[in-house]
Amino acid sequence: MKNSLLFIAILMTFHFMKGQRENEILNLEFRNENVTANYKAFKIGEYYWMSENFNNPKFNTATQEQLTKHMSVWGVPYNVSINDYNKYYGEYYGLGWEPKGKMYENNQLNSGWVLPGIAEFDQLLAMCGTGSYKDIKEYLGAKTNDNPAAVNLESGDIDNGHWFAPNKNVYGFGLMPGGGRINGPWEGLLEGDFYGLYKQARLRLNTGGLIVFDNLTHKVVYEPALYHWLNVRWTKRIPDEVLGYKLYIKDSDFNKYKDSGLIVNFDISTVNIKKLGLQEVPPAGFLELPNGWIRGFYVQKNGTDPALPQIVSHLQIIKKDNKYIFKEKDSIEIYLRTSESNNKNINFGLYNPKDGSFREPLNIISQDGFIYTCQLPENYIGNFMLVPYIVQQNGEKNIVKRAPSSPWIDRLPLTIQYKINTKKYIPSEAFQVTSYMQLNIKENGSNMVNKIFQVDIEKNFMVSMPTSNQEISKIGLFYSNGDFYTNITTSRKGAVYTCKIPNTVQDGTYVIMPYTKENKEIKVIERTNDKYYMDRLPLVVLEEDIWGEDSSLASLSQKNKENLIPYVKDNNLYIKGLIYPATISIYNLNGNKLKSQKNITQDTGTAIYNLKTGVYIIQLISEQGKVKNLKFIKE
């Protein structure tokens, strides 16, 4: 139960980070004729927002007397200088006023920065959890110490002070209560006096109105301009061309909510929204989703990853003999058609069919319409999946797939074989082997010395290989044509090496040989011509059968307490621990099925008198369809 709760917590944290926390920062410089000012902006969904109010150029800056007067009326202890107050809280602008100047990003003028309106603020608020006042305050409100000019009141009277705790300031927006200022006498206040300071955050809208985050009444409201002076900050919508998608909403859903304000706890899954590529045509009955709170809830849940094109026809490898078998560095032609009219961003890669992990990209030589000419990589030998993908701006690879419930083939099997003499085989002239190479591989708890020549990936095994210079000798994994693949030595004691095949190695048949690195060249250590030592051995590298699963053991042996152990008696093969009936099939190492028998248990023998001496694979299939693979050696 604890593990389940931990997993759920981790999953929720991952979703929170992926869907909500953006962490992308822009460094801005605002310039006018006389002054420049530097700001930061944070990415929040589909927008960048200034994380501070404008504080330059200066309009109607407050004086120390005005600030002290307000604090005295409310009995708030405050010893921050007016210069720091103006810097960290920002200046106040009257109706129709706006900072006069231009915004630069990395010294490049950007005209996208504007005074936000209701749609922009609605989308911002819908990026805050449920959209409730509590969530908005926690997502946007400054935390303790976020604003060095702010004072956390010791009275604990949150309604009359900062709303610090338990704010998360998730996006870096840094919202602070700064009230407004009067442009003329009103209820005992004079021009320039504060009102609502430390109780309300008021920001100017492009409509001349304002948005109020009111800590006294715990609500967010839009109000008329009131002709008072207010804080100002700008925002910038990220263009569709940069986002890489468009959002469309079903007409009836949009009409249902188009005149509504933000709905707290709105279930965005009840609205039919489609994320499409820039060139994709929306279905009939859908219109482009405008900026606003519906879009904000959708982006909060789904993030801003670009919409991937979908495969709209079968992925094909164009080959006359229809055999998808190639050699290293061969050129191949691939047909791929997607929902995008321009597939310039498409890549192709080799993926591991066992676990779906990426192995190596193909080099795209040219593209003619939907046909790509690609070159296969070198030193990647074995069976792979050919998969198309797109690389996102953050470097992440996103696989291009077919649409759900469509018949299109979106990935294909592909085999790469050795190309003869791809590298020069270089024997060492300085060192020799001085005895036999031997393998020591544990099988069913016993040491099998020179009887079984296959190992599992990431499993230790021992190699004995005396040479004339043990200090610099290593054991290497080589392709069948003599090309060096990788070092497999993890440690050495005398002439005995502990070796392990790394998980980057594809399963298949290889050769292991001792080698040394001389002048940055791999040189194989061999026996001298007059010796008869075995100085290299074959090795079959195994990965877990992708069609089986080890968890099937529970359905074959009693309560998973006893291992399944094959043994031979009177030319019959038995499986100790096989409690429940299963079908047995016996394969050689080339994958050929040699024998099959149904309804066997640990008391049922399978005749193997006609099998030659050697290593075989046993496949057991339970009545429930569970699969277990074992190995055995016939002496």
Side-chain angles (χ1 to χ4, degrees):
M1 183 64 179
K2 287 183 179 179
N3 290 338
S4 298
L5 291 174
L6 178 61
F7 173 77
I8 292 171
I10 293 171
L11 187 63
M12 291 176 67
T13 300
F14 172 78
H15 173 74
F16 176 82
M17 295 296 289
K18 178 181 184 297
Q20 297 171 355
R21 187 156 182 88
E22 302 288 344
N23 283 327
E24 295 184 26
I25 304 174
L26 290 181
N27 292 311
L28 307 176
E29 186 177 68
F30 183 79
R31 304 176 188 173
N32 72 0
E33 295 179 357
N34 302 315
V35 295
T36 61
N38 295 309
Y39 301 95
K40 290 188 181 300
F42 287 86
K43 182 175 181 286
I44 308 178
E46 298 176 321
Y47 287 84
Y48 282 98
W49 285 86
M50 291 175 61
S51 60
E52 310 104 310
N53 302 329
F54 269 106
N55 58 58
N56 246 322
K58 296 181 178 180
F59 285 90
N60 293 295
T61 55
T63 66
Q64 191 72 55
E65 290 75 18
Q66 290 165 332
L67 184 60
T68 302
K69 174 185 175 182
H70 185 85
M71 296 303 185
S72 298
V73 170
W74 288 97
V76 176
Y78 192 71
N79 59 0
V80 175
S81 72
I82 192 61
N83 290 334
D84 282 344
Y85 181 88
N86 287 328
K87 176 180 179 181
Y88 292 109
Y89 279 80
E91 310 306 331
Y92 293 78
Y93 296 82
L95 182 62
W97 300 354
E98 199 173 342
K100 304 300 181 183
K102 297 179 180 179
M103 192 72 80
Y104 288 77
E105 299 174 10
N106 299 321
N107 292 319
Q108 298 294 318
L109 177 65
N110 191 297
S111 59
W113 289 93
V114 296
L115 190 64
I118 293 177
E120 286 74 24
F121 271 111
D122 266 348
Q123 191 155 333
L124 172 70
L125 303 185
M127 287 290 296
C128 300
T130 66
S132 67
Y133 175 83
K134 178 179 179 293
D135 283 355
I136 291 169
K137 178 178 76 71
E138 292 183 3
Y139 274 61
L140 302 183
K143 298 182 294 185
T144 304
N145 300 323
D146 278 353
N147 187 325
V151 175
N152 196 12
L153 301 183
E154 297 178 359
S155 66
D157 184 0
I158 301 300
D159 285 341
N160 289 300
H162 299 301
W163 57 80
F164 282 130
N167 291 351
K168 303 180 181 73
N169 201 10
V170 172
Y171 302 119
F173 191 86
L175 183 67
M176 284 294 301
R181 294 177 64 199
I182 299 298
N183 65 348
W186 173 68
E187 293 188 0
L189 296 176
L190 301 178
E191 181 176 330
D193 281 351
F194 289 97
Y195 70 94
L197 191 62
Y198 289 106
K199 301 174 184 178
Q200 299 172 343
R202 292 171 168 253
L203 295 171
R204 177 73 69 193
L205 299 174
N206 62 11
T207 58
L210 72 153
I211 182 170
V212 180
F213 302 84
D214 194 326
N215 204 47
L216 291 175
T217 54
H218 298 86
K219 65 182 180 180
V220 178
V221 295
Y222 296 99
E223 291 184 353
L226 301 177
Y227 298 96
H228 295 166
W229 304 336
L230 305 170
N231 292 131
V232 169
R233 62 172 81 186
W234 281 352
T235 187
K236 183 185 79 168
R237 172 69 154 79
I238 302 173
D240 291 343
E241 292 73 21
V242 176
L243 292 171
Y245 63 82
K246 286 180 175 288
L247 297 180
Y248 297 90
I249 185 172
K250 196 171 183 180
D251 291 358
S252 57
D253 287 338
F254 177 71
N255 292 330
K256 183 177 179 181
Y257 296 108
K258 67 178 180 179
D259 297 323
S260 301
L262 184 145
I263 298 177
V264 177
N265 291 306
F266 183 76
D267 184 359
I268 192 63
S269 64
T270 62
V271 180
N272 192 344
I273 296 175
K274 295 188 180 298
K275 178 187 282 187
L276 302 180
L278 299 178
Q279 307 299 324
E280 292 185 79
V281 178
F286 280 76
L287 56 85
E288 189 165 358
L289 178 61
N291 299 325
W293 64 270
I294 296 178
R295 192 167 181 122
F297 277 122
Y298 179 88
V299 172
Q300 183 191 172
K301 179 180 179 181
N302 297 283
T304 55
D305 290 334
L308 293 176
Q310 292 181 331
I311 290 179
V312 296
S313 182
H314 292 304
L315 175 68
Q316 299 175 51
I317 298 176
I318 302 172
K319 202 166 186 284
K320 290 182 180 179
D321 60 6
N322 294 320
K323 294 180 180 178
Y324 292 174
I325 301 176
F326 303 91
K327 295 188 182 298
E328 298 173 283
K329 302 189 74 171
D330 275 357
S331 292
I332 66 172
E333 289 187 330
I334 302 170
Y335 175 88
L336 176 70
R337 187 170 184 174
T338 74
S339 54
E340 289 279 6
S341 59
N342 184 347
N343 284 335
K344 294 294 185 182
N345 295 323
I346 293 290
N347 297 275
F348 297 93
L350 301 178
Y351 283 73
N352 188 343
K354 175 198 169 199
D355 57 13
S357 61
F358 178 79
R359 285 299 176 90
E360 188 73 6
L362 274 60
N363 178 32
I364 298 179
I365 301 171
S366 63
Q367 178 187 355
D368 183 10
F370 302 119
I371 298 177
Y372 301 78
T373 301
C374 302
Q375 186 180 45
L376 296 173
E378 187 179 13
N379 290 337
Y380 279 81
I381 308 300
N383 299 314
F384 300 92
M385 285 192 300
L386 175 69
V387 180
Y389 65 91
I390 288 178
V391 179
Q392 305 294 2
Q393 291 182 344
N394 61 3
E396 182 180 349
K397 298 177 181 66
N398 290 117
I399 292 175
V400 179
K401 306 174 185 176
R402 61 175 179 256
S405 303
S406 63
W408 313 125
I409 296 171
D410 56 4
R411 57 200 66 184
L412 288 168
L414 182 150
T415 298
I416 303 178
Q417 298 177 339
Y418 303 106
K419 181 165 284 189
I420 304 300
N421 296 325
T422 58
K423 295 180 181 177
K424 185 179 179 182
Y425 178 89
I426 305 176
S428 173
E429 298 178 357
F431 308 108
Q432 307 86 38
V433 300
T434 58
S435 187
Y436 295 100
M437 173 181 275
Q438 296 186 77
L439 286 180
N440 187 330
I441 299 173
K442 287 186 178 295
E443 177 68 12
N444 294 327
S446 301
N447 292 330
M448 307 297 290
V449 178
N450 286 354
K451 291 185 178 180
I452 183 168
F453 296 94
Q454 61 185 26
V455 295
D456 296 321
I457 287 177
E458 293 287 342
K459 295 289 182 65
N460 286 336
F461 62 99
M462 312 298 287
V463 178
S464 174
M465 185 69 264
T467 69
S468 60
N469 191 330
Q470 217 69 64
E471 296 297 323
I472 65 172
S473 301
K474 295 181 180 180
I475 304 299
L477 188 70
F478 291 77
Y479 292 116
S480 296
N481 64 348
D483 289 347
F484 176 76
Y485 190 169
T486 187
N487 173 38
I488 60 173
T489 305
T490 61
S491 64
R492 180 186 63 83
K493 187 174 182 179
V496 178
Y497 298 79
T498 299
C499 298
K500 182 168 66 175
I501 306 297
N503 59 15
T504 55
V505 173
Q506 191 80 16
D507 59 339
T509 302
Y510 298 90
V511 177
I512 60 171
M513 293 187 278
Y515 75 96
T516 183
K517 204 167 186 178
E518 302 173 30
N519 297 323
K520 297 183 179 181
E521 286 187 313
I522 301 294
K523 293 190 176 182
V524 178
I525 302 176
E526 300 180 322
R527 61 175 179 258
T528 55
N529 292 333
D530 59 342
K531 298 294 182 182
Y532 45 83
Y533 303 132
M534 292 182 294
D535 55 4
R536 61 200 62 179
L537 289 172
L539 191 71
V540 176
V541 175
L542 298 178
E543 289 187 310
E544 180 184 348
D545 183 1
I546 66 172
W547 309 114
E549 54 183 11
D550 287 341
S551 61
S552 61
L553 189 64
S555 63
L556 294 173
S557 62
Q558 188 173 18
K559 297 181 180 179
N560 201 16
K561 290 183 177 180
E562 188 171 10
N563 290 330
L564 300 179
I565 301 175
Y567 66 97
V568 177
K569 181 180 179 181
D570 299 330
N571 264 328
N572 285 293
L573 174 69
Y574 294 87
I575 309 296
K576 181 182 178 182
L578 185 60
I579 304 299
Y580 301 104
T583 297
I584 186 173
S585 297
I586 301 176
Y587 296 82
N588 62 20
L589 292 183
N590 293 323
N592 299 318
K593 184 188 287 189
L594 307 177
K595 185 177 287 287
S596 184
Q597 185 175 337
K598 295 181 178 180
N599 297 319
I600 69 160
T601 66
Q602 64 178 359
D603 300 319
T604 309
T606 302
I608 58 169
Y609 61 88
N610 56 345
L611 296 184
K612 299 178 180 178
T613 299
V615 181
Y616 296 89
I617 302 296
I618 304 168
Q619 184 185 73
L620 299 172
I621 304 178
S622 71
E623 293 178 336
Q624 294 78 29
K626 300 293 186 179
V627 179
K628 179 68 180 177
N629 294 315
L630 305 168
K631 299 190 292 284
F632 86 99
I633 301 171
K634 184 179 180 184
E635 302 286 354

